[in-house]
Amino acid sequence: MPELPEVETTLRGIVPHVIGRKITAVIVRNANLRWKVPADIQTLKGCRIAAARRRGKYLLLETDRGTLLMHLGMSGSLRVIESAAPWRAHDHFALELDGVRQLRLHDPRRFGCVLLLHEDPATHPLLRDLGPEPLGDEFTADYLFQRARGRAAPVKQFIMDSKIVVGVGNIYACESLFLAGIRPTRKAGKVSRAECSRLVAAIRRVLAASIKQGGTTLRDFLREDGEPGYFKQSLRVYDREGQPCKKCGALVKRIVLGQRGTCFCPACQK
DNA sequence: AAAACTACCTGAGTGC
DNA sequence: TGCACTCAGGTAGTTT
């Protein structure tokens, strides 16, 4: 499922195919995504994609008529394919590029979205209140420690809060806490500065390593070229309930935190 | 302000 | 084999 590494992998995959290309058609097969795809999306027909970037798990394609914002939700993926390629079930949206190929959005669960922004993306309600990028300079031990003051929520839910830091979903939250040696259930406000330092380093390390391997394919994520990501083999605790910890051999435990499956090593994580 | 909970949706997996 | 059921996941929005 698309977390930050999967979105980054997708971005890197599509960039060479979309930058500078002319949008020759906008095809909406099913507008009922998380929010209805707006009718004015058609105004993009005829203009060029000037830039493509990522903010958290949002993908942004910039044109001179607005910014196309996309989110892959939990089951979305983008592919660049020839226009003549047959449509699959759950292919909901496409931009035709230079009349020969298409950037197609496939999203069985339809939790993703496609919107057109006319204002500065940074001021849009979906992006306005987002925390710093985990791989950027603003995400530091001091920052995390300060934000955690007075927070009673479990540290796992705290680092999954996009207002604190973007892009840390369920899989990478579990993995990062394992690497940092911190129990997911610990109250965020009780995590020491030194532990915050380890946690920031762990989040950066896990995300960067996953990006290097093209993301994690658990069930349905595929890269823009249709290949799976290979980070699954690097997972240390996620989806490994009852199996031995790769570090100490103790059995990995699974609990539910905030209605999400949470795996950890009861021996390595304090 | 923060925490807890709901809604959205489908495919995969389980148990009968 | 088929049906009924549960579960997974991201995050905006609502309620406590």
Side-chain angles (χ1 to χ4, degrees):
Chain A
M1 28 241 67
E3 293 194 28
L4 187 143
E6 292 73 50
V7 178
E8 180 67 24
T9 296
T10 298
L11 174 69
R12 292 181 187 185
I14 67 172
V15 155
H17 303 289
V18 303
I19 301 298
R21 306 293 171 172
K22 190 170 183 177
I23 297 172
T24 45
V26 178
I27 303 155
V28 180
R29 298 187 95 220
N30 184 351
N32 298 308
L33 304 183
R34 175 165 198 162
W35 298 290
K36 207 166 181 69
V37 177
D40 73 351
I41 202 90
Q42 291 297 335
T43 60
L44 291 177
K45 188 175 172 181
C47 65
R48 254 172 225 290
I49 298 172
R53 59 197 179 85
R54 176 185 65 71
R55 175 73 177 103
K57 296 177 194 168
Y58 292 95
L59 284 168
L60 303 166
L61 301 184
E62 295 171 11
T63 78
D64 57 9
R65 283 179 219 157
T67 303
L68 183 78
L69 173 149
M70 280 187 282
H71 195 290
L72 301 178
M74 295 201 284
S75 59
S77 58
L78 285 171
R79 300 182 82 171
V80 176
I81 49 168
E82 288 174 37
S83 295
W87 290 80
R88 298 174 296 171
H90 312 300
D91 281 347
H92 304 307
F93 174 83
L95 292 179
E96 186 173 64
L97 307 169
D98 293 344
V100 294
R101 63 188 82 78
Q102 295 178 352
L103 177 67
R104 277 192 200 168
L105 173 69
H106 177 83
D107 185 5
R109 276 161 271 186
R110 290 191 275 127
F111 281 10
C113 68
V114 176
L115 298 173
L116 182 59
L117 312 189
H118 297 288
E119 68 269 53
D120 174 1
T123 67
H124 188 274
L126 288 173
L127 305 178
R128 198 177 48 197
D129 303 319
L130 294 179
E133 290 286 335
L135 298 174
D137 295 339
E138 288 173 53
F139 185 57
T140 63
D142 277 345
Y143 165 81
L144 196 67
F145 183 72
Q146 284 312 320
R147 291 298 303 266
R149 295 309 80 211
R151 299 287 288 248
V155 61
K156 180 187 173 228
Q157 284 167 260
F158 176 70
I159 59 173
M160 287 178 68
D161 181 346
S162 64
K163 292 190 202 60
I164 302 301
V165 59
V166 296
V168 182
N170 202 33
I171 299 171
Y172 299 109
C174 293
E175 294 299 303
S176 301
L177 287 163
F178 172 80
L179 279 191
I182 301 168
R183 286 251 176 150
T185 46
R186 289 263 305 279
K187 288 184 179 187
K190 300 289 185 188
V191 174
S192 72
R193 186 179 291 268
E195 287 171 325
C196 281
S197 182
R198 294 210 305 267
L199 185 50
V200 166
I203 289 171
R204 290 172 172 278
R205 202 174 126 203
V206 168
L207 293 177
S210 182
I211 289 168
K212 236 181 200 165
Q213 296 188 57
T216 301
T217 297
L218 273 184
R219 292 168 184 91
D220 44 17
F221 173 74
L222 293 180
R223 307 187 315 188
E224 54 70 46
D225 55 6
E227 289 294 306
Y230 295 104
F231 194 67
K232 180 172 167 46
Q233 61 206 40
S234 305
L235 295 177
R236 292 164 169 91
V237 286
Y238 189 84
D239 214 17
R240 295 195 65 245
E241 179 186 15
Q243 297 175 50
C245 168
K246 293 180 179 178
K247 205 156 98 190
C248 78
L251 298 188
V252 172
K253 245 185 117 173
R254 181 180 188 278
I255 57 172
V256 175
L257 253 192
Q259 298 154 302
R260 319 296 284 280
T262 303
C263 294
F264 67 98
C265 170
C268 293
Q269 295 173 256
K270 312 282 184 201

